[in-house]
Amino acid sequence: MARQSSPRPDADEPELDEAAGSHDPDERDDETATAGTADRGLWEELRIDPVEIALPAGSGFTLRAYRPAREVTPTEVGERDQDDPFLARSRAVTEDENDETVVILDEEFAEQLAEAEEEEAAAAKTRDRKGRADDDAADDADDEADDDTDEDTDGSDDGDEEVPVFLTHQGRLLLFKSPEALVSFVRSGAANDLTQLDTWDALVERISPADIAPLDEDTYELDLVVENLRGGHDTWDPALLIEAGEVARDLAYALRLPAVLDMLSSGSSLDDLDEALRTTVNGGLGAIFARRRLKKIGAQTASLGWRTIVGKISAVVDWRD
């Protein structure tokens, strides 16, 4: 936005010496802010966005793009390939000695989750059972909406579906502690998974530290999720949790983390939490039913699940100064 001209001084006031660079302090602040504002036209043209992600170990900047699946080669994950559904979708499900499906979860987390679910199941028996009819009606409405969505997507080519791609290399997310460090890496010509994009060369030529200014919706605070969930239903922050779910799904896909994808998949308890939160944010009659559903989601189970997700994402981060 153009800076407005300064009003002319009154006749009885001494004129400022322009050569000395004197300015109104408010104008100087406005000029500084304008100079540091990123040109969103660059990102819109190249279809790449700067992203800021906060994790328990700190906060860092990276890049993300969305492209049709047929145009993207997944990141190489090396030793993790044996558990990677991207390379072995047709492989038979591993079974244990009792022919039971093996769930890809950490043993410690699985034990804690089982204990939490038992405690919450016992507590659920004492809850008031009123409102079931209302819940069923809400579920029916959700099912109808899902059916409509399915009809809209029938016949679409899987290769046309846009998938997330981050600034990654060999299965690790590159996070930079400053805009300058991120720009230096981009300009260095170092290997990474975004070089396959058709707009990457243009970004290398045009990017500057001032451009690394993520939008609010591209700033994610994964470091706050577990603590927020532990606070209980009344303290849950819908915006924080919804945005965390969005970036966690993107990262799980881009970094090929099947356990995280499974924990956030449709029908999981964390996906139910996400859907209920979105409905409460949208308001209306559905929000009333959604709040009831939220009360049935155990805070302990949710916090344990998210602790595992944040831990798995943190384990594949490559921090760069």
Side-chain angles (χ1 to χ4, degrees):
M1 182 175 62
R3 181 164 57 90
Q4 295 181 349
S5 301
S6 303
R8 293 179 58 83
D10 295 334
D12 57 347
E13 293 180 359
E15 292 190 6
L16 297 176
D17 182 3
E18 294 182 2
S22 298
H23 295 284
D24 186 315
D26 292 337
E27 288 186 358
R28 184 167 58 251
D29 292 342
D30 182 47
E31 187 176 52
T32 300
T34 301
T37 300
D39 178 11
R40 289 303 305 176
L42 170 68
W43 304 114
E44 292 171 1
E45 178 184 345
L46 303 184
R47 296 179 295 137
I48 303 173
D49 289 298
V51 175
E52 184 174 9
I53 301 174
L55 292 165
S59 180
F61 299 95
T62 189
L63 300 175
R64 175 181 60 187
Y66 294 97
R67 293 292 189 275
R70 66 176 182 278
E71 298 179 5
V72 175
T73 300
T75 186
E76 294 292 337
V77 295
E79 66 276 6
R80 290 196 282 125
D81 281 353
Q82 59 183 345
D83 294 323
D84 185 10
F86 294 81
L87 295 180
R89 294 185 184 277
S90 61
R91 186 168 59 234
V93 176
T94 303
E95 297 182 340
D96 64 10
E97 294 179 354
N98 297 320
D99 292 332
E100 295 178 354
T101 300
V102 175
V103 179
I104 307 174
L105 290 177
D106 293 340
E107 182 177 352
E108 178 184 359
F109 168 69
E111 293 176 356
Q112 294 174 332
L113 182 60
E115 292 175 1
E117 289 177 343
E118 288 178 3
E119 293 175 2
E120 287 159 1
K125 294 180 181 179
T126 63
R127 292 176 184 164
D128 187 359
R129 300 300 184 183
K130 293 181 180 180
R132 281 186 174 181
D134 291 339
D135 289 343
D136 290 342
D139 290 340
D140 290 342
D142 291 341
D143 290 341
E144 290 179 4
D146 291 340
D147 291 341
D148 291 341
T149 301
D150 292 340
E151 291 176 2
D152 291 341
T153 57
D154 283 345
S156 61
D157 186 353
D158 290 342
D160 291 332
E161 179 184 2
E162 289 198 333
V163 298
V165 190
F166 284 84
L167 189 58
T168 55
H169 182 55
Q170 295 183 341
R172 301 185 68 83
L173 175 67
L174 306 182
L175 276 184
F176 298 83
K177 295 182 178 180
S178 70
E180 291 77 12
L182 173 54
V183 171
S184 178
F185 176 85
V186 171
R187 291 175 174 172
S188 71
N192 69 83
D193 295 311
L194 289 186
T195 59
Q196 64 185 303
L197 303 184
D198 56 354
T199 58
W200 178 255
D201 291 341
L203 179 67
V204 173
E205 295 178 358
R206 298 168 57 183
I207 193 171
S208 69
D211 295 317
I212 311 302
L215 298 173
D216 288 343
E217 56 263 36
D218 293 328
T219 301
Y220 305 97
E221 298 173 306
L222 293 180
D223 57 329
L224 303 180
V225 173
V226 174
E227 193 65 27
N228 183 253
L229 287 169
R230 285 176 177 168
H233 301 82
D234 295 336
T235 65
W236 287 356
D237 183 340
L240 169 71
L241 300 176
I242 291 171
E243 291 171 0
E246 291 174 349
V247 74
R249 288 182 177 88
D250 279 0
L251 289 170
Y253 186 93
L255 293 167
R256 296 160 67 171
L257 299 173
V260 176
L261 286 173
D262 182 67
M263 295 176 69
L264 294 171
S265 63
S266 178
S268 68
S269 60
L270 294 184
D271 182 64
D272 291 342
L273 169 63
D274 183 82
E275 289 297 326
L277 288 170
R278 291 176 184 274
T279 305
T280 61
V281 171
N282 291 336
L285 187 60
I288 299 175
F289 305 141
R291 281 191 287 271
R292 290 180 180 175
R293 291 201 296 274
L294 282 176
K295 294 293 184 181
K296 298 179 181 180
I297 297 175
Q300 187 176 3
T301 299
S303 64
L304 283 172
W306 265 105
R307 188 183 73 178
T308 298
I309 289 173
V310 173
K312 286 186 176 294
I313 291 173
S314 297
V316 293
V317 169
D318 185 354
W319 289 97
R320 301 292 184 95
D321 292 328

